[in-house]
Amino acid sequence: MKISEIFLSIEGEGIRTGAPAVFIRLFGCNLRCSYCDSMYAVEGSDFTEMSPEEVFLKVKSFNTQYVTLTGGEPLIHKDVEVLLKMLDDYGLEVNIETNGTQPKPSGYRHILCTMDWKSISSGMQPKMNLANMMTLRGKDVLKFVVGTEEDLQDAARVIGAMETEYAREGWKLPTFYVSPIFGTMKYEDMVNWILSNATMRRNNVRFQVQLHKVIWDPEARGV
């Protein structure tokens, strides 16, 4: 497996925000988002080849309950399910941060997904498939990284479509988050838009900023 970095930090966003976690950042991605903040894990040669067993042993050495698998895009890697099974069998709670081009892996007891719906601003929305979002369940997260009102309108459209389908199937919706692209819309304007939108209010959409970028330098690695 191509490993960009393995490090101990806190969850900077999502359902486990603020909790200690070991991060496994895999190298390589099948998208090129306009706002990507981890291009060092997407292009170039700054990675280490490790087996799933080596990664598992490194993770165990940190002695934490939470693990976050991120990238790049972790679910495109050949041996990722081997690693996931090791982590799951050991009882670690794994959060997979995934870009929305792959469905949520199934058959695991302790795994949740934080999945992206790529906004219009990302330049990658044509790669999105709503069927992948429909694999999420109540303990999972669907995240919208947005920078414009058009992005917010699109997020509300996706949430509305999921709301209808999940009600029909009797499924519990994932938790929805909206996260701003740095340097675009004012936070206040974005929050006011969320509060004014009936679909977002009805589905308890949460606004978030990336906590790790508040604590450390926004360009810092290994945090």
Side-chain angles (χ1 to χ4, degrees), residues 4-214:
S4 174
E5 53 188 346
I6 300 175
F7 58 92
L8 178 67
S9 187
I10 60 167
E11 292 274 11
E13 54 193 324
I15 208 78
R16 303 193 310 200
T17 297
V22 177
F23 287 75
I24 308 166
R25 187 181 301 281
L26 288 104
F27 182 92
C29 190
N30 55 344
L31 297 182
R32 294 294 185 274
C33 297
S34 63
Y35 51 73
C36 181
D37 60 1
S38 55
M39 284 302 294
Y40 60 88
V42 175
E43 297 178 342
S45 57
D46 188 9
F47 62 84
T48 302
E49 289 281 357
M50 298 177 70
S51 69
E53 293 80 5
E54 289 172 326
V55 175
F56 174 65
L57 291 174
K58 179 70 173 178
V59 169
K60 277 179 60 180
S61 72
F62 287 99
N63 194 29
T64 63
Q65 183 63 27
Y66 288 161
V67 177
T68 294
L69 193 66
T70 188
E73 170 46 50
L75 294 181
I76 62 174
H77 287 262
K78 176 183 175 183
D79 292 328
V80 70
E81 295 216 13
V82 176
L83 176 60
L84 286 174
K85 187 174 189 311
M86 289 179 179
L87 297 169
D88 190 57
D89 287 349
Y90 194 69
L92 297 175
E93 296 182 33
V94 181
N95 176 22
I96 304 172
E97 294 186 340
T98 178
N99 66 17
T101 62
Q102 313 294 316
K104 176 186 175 180
S106 61
Y108 301 100
R109 296 171 297 162
H110 309 293
I111 286 176
L112 66 95
C113 265
T114 297
M115 188 176 288
D116 283 359
W117 174 269
K118 295 301 182 185
S119 67
I120 297 164
S121 291
S122 73
M124 293 289 108
Q125 195 185 61
K127 304 290 187 181
M128 293 293 95
N129 182 351
L130 191 58
N132 290 335
M133 317 299 137
M134 297 291 186
T135 63
L136 301 175
R137 293 295 181 265
K139 71 176 183 178
D140 300 313
V141 168
L142 181 57
K143 182 178 68 175
F144 300 89
V145 180
V146 302
T148 65
E149 185 171 332
E150 187 181 31
D151 290 344
L152 287 164
Q153 290 169 346
D154 187 57
R157 176 188 64 81
V158 172
I159 291 168
M162 292 180 68
E163 179 185 23
T164 299
E165 183 64 22
Y166 276 57
R168 182 182 297 119
E169 297 291 341
W171 299 335
K172 184 174 173 57
L173 283 161
T175 301
F176 298 113
Y177 281 86
V178 166
S179 183
I181 302 170
F182 184 76
T184 54
M185 284 182 72
K186 292 181 180 179
Y187 293 170
E188 180 181 357
D189 291 343
M190 196 172 289
V191 170
N192 285 336
W193 199 98
I194 293 167
L195 293 176
S196 70
N197 183 269
T199 299
M200 290 199 168
R201 289 200 312 272
R202 189 170 59 246
N203 289 286
N204 303 311
V205 173
R206 304 181 185 188
F207 177 79
Q208 68 171 7
V209 296
Q210 294 177 301
L211 184 61
H212 54 289
K213 292 188 177 181
V214 176

